[in-house]
Amino acid sequence: MATSLRSLTATALRQARTSKPTTSKPLSKPGHLTTPPPTTSTRPFSAAAALAAPATPSPTPKSAAKILLEDADTGFGFARHNPVPAKPRSRGVTEIRGPYYTVMGPRYLSDVLETMGAHVDGVKFAGGSFSLFPEAPLRQLIDLAHAGGAYVSTGGWIEHVLASSGGDVGGAVDKYLARCKDLGFDVVELSTGFLSLPPDDWVRLAERVQGAGLKPKPELGIQFGAGGDTEAAELESIGTSDPGKVINMAKRFVEDAGVERVMIESEGITENVKAWRTDVIQSILKELPLEKVMFEAADPSVFNWYIREFGVDVNLFVDHSQIVQLAGLRAGIWGKSDTFGKITTFRP
């Protein structure tokens, strides 16, 4: 996740349109939970019920409007392109990074979703960035994402909760999940890039998330120490795990725990390496269906390679500043020298 960003500047934020902030409703303090509270309904990972969430009086992104590329009457529908599947979708899913390397406020996110909402399936608050927000603007961002038909995911902050909770780890995890649920999160990322966690405990944690009415998104990788800003030389000295460990764990999550999708961490595979470990990617997709995997690919060269190798249906996580470039690549209307005019589909 330490990929350098190339395109977002402060100018874009200054040019964002203005809107009135919302006032959030008061929140009661969650009590100590030993058993996840029962729930009657949840927002699916794929954002199917996002628009049913209670709305705050915040700007509503007009993501439902037909994009010009698919308007045959008054737009550019005459130009050859790959159609954009309707949301919610299980393939060709794009999750974007929200606040982390740069600030993201409601005006900027509203601009992203009003213009590119058709191409955004999920918004992730990387790391523990959401804990640094005042509650009102955090709720406003979450409501905006839901209004744009996107699910909202935490980052891998569960690692901090597990490592710093003292003796009552179960109680701390339950409080964390209850708070995330109340704030409106749909998905909780389960990372262990900095921790050694037994496989059975990791699966048990995913089940705990499900019991709290949220969707677990385990993040797996071959590089210990991944997910932060660790220097490449230090990561190289630590070494990497056998790809078979990742595959076996992913299959347990998908087949045994019923997890909808796992995230594959880029570090050690396409990030902070001397040569890309494409063999790891190929091995993962030999054992798992394409729709059950999402790859971190927050670098144009990386997501260009994924689309070239696996087509438009591969699920990818990118930075919010890269959504236009990725959407153009999926549509087959733009690309690099090895993908321009070559990304096609056959869906009569």
Side-chain angles (χ1 to χ4, degrees), residues 52-339:
T56 60
S58 55
T60 301
K62 300 178 179 62
S63 60
K66 181 183 292 186
I67 64 172
L68 287 173
L69 189 60
E70 300 200 341
D71 187 342
D73 297 324
T74 60
F76 300 105
F78 56 84
R80 193 256 158 230
H81 65 279
N82 302 317
V84 180
K87 295 193 291 185
R89 47 195 168 228
S90 61
R91 291 186 169 206
V93 173
T94 300
E95 182 176 299
I96 62 170
R97 181 192 290 124
Y100 189 63
Y101 294 110
T102 59
V103 172
M104 174 182 282
R107 288 170 289 278
Y108 179 75
L109 180 58
S110 182
D111 284 345
V112 170
L113 294 175
E114 284 185 359
T115 56
M116 290 288 118
H119 313 283
V120 176
D121 298 272
V123 178
K124 170 181 166 179
F125 286 77
S129 58
F130 51 93
S131 70
L132 303 174
F133 278 68
E135 185 172 327
L138 175 60
R139 285 184 178 273
Q140 190 177 13
L141 283 172
I142 291 172
D143 288 342
L144 277 169
H146 289 156
Y151 64 81
V152 183
S153 173
T154 71
W157 205 44
I158 190 72
E159 293 184 78
H160 178 70
V161 176
L162 290 172
S164 61
S165 299
D168 188 13
V169 178
V173 167
D174 289 341
K175 287 181 179 180
Y176 172 65
L177 297 179
R179 194 69 170 107
C180 290
K181 176 70 174 176
D182 184 84
L183 288 167
F185 283 96
D186 309 296
V187 180
V188 174
E189 185 170 284
L190 302 178
S191 303
T192 60
F194 293 103
L195 300 178
S196 176
L197 188 68
D200 289 348
D201 292 19
W202 206 355
V203 173
R204 191 176 297 114
L205 190 60
E207 293 170 345
R208 196 81 157 198
V209 173
Q210 292 167 332
L214 295 158
K215 296 284 184 176
K217 182 182 65 180
E219 184 178 50
L220 303 98
I222 64 171
Q223 179 68 67
F224 190 83
D229 294 318
T230 310
E231 294 293 333
E234 184 177 348
L235 290 175
E236 186 176 1
S237 68
I238 295 173
T240 58
S241 300
D242 189 298
K245 179 181 176 181
V246 172
I247 295 169
N248 291 337
M249 199 69 232
K251 292 176 76 171
R252 284 196 64 181
F253 281 125
V254 171
E255 297 173 2
D256 299 339
V259 167
E260 184 171 341
R261 191 177 303 125
V262 298
M263 175 81 81
I264 303 300
E265 168 70 56
S266 61
E267 286 175 302
I269 298 178
T270 58
E271 182 181 351
N272 286 335
V273 290
K274 293 179 180 178
W276 289 1
R277 292 292 308 278
T278 58
D279 60 307
V280 176
I281 301 165
Q282 299 286 357
S283 296
I284 291 171
L285 290 180
K286 283 180 182 177
E287 299 292 334
L288 290 165
L290 190 67
E291 62 270 16
K292 295 297 184 180
V293 184
M294 174 175 283
F295 295 96
E296 183 183 11
D299 180 278
S301 296
V302 175
F303 62 71
N304 182 82
W305 181 86
Y306 274 109
I307 296 293
R308 189 192 73 193
E309 291 296 308
F310 303 108
V312 301
D313 289 335
V314 65
N315 301 323
L316 298 174
F317 169 76
V318 300
D319 190 70
H320 57 84
S321 63
Q322 299 163 336
I323 184 59
V324 180
Q325 187 174 2
L326 176 57
L329 185 59
R330 285 194 193 275
I333 63 168
W334 206 250
K336 293 177 175 286
S337 59
D338 58 338
T339 51

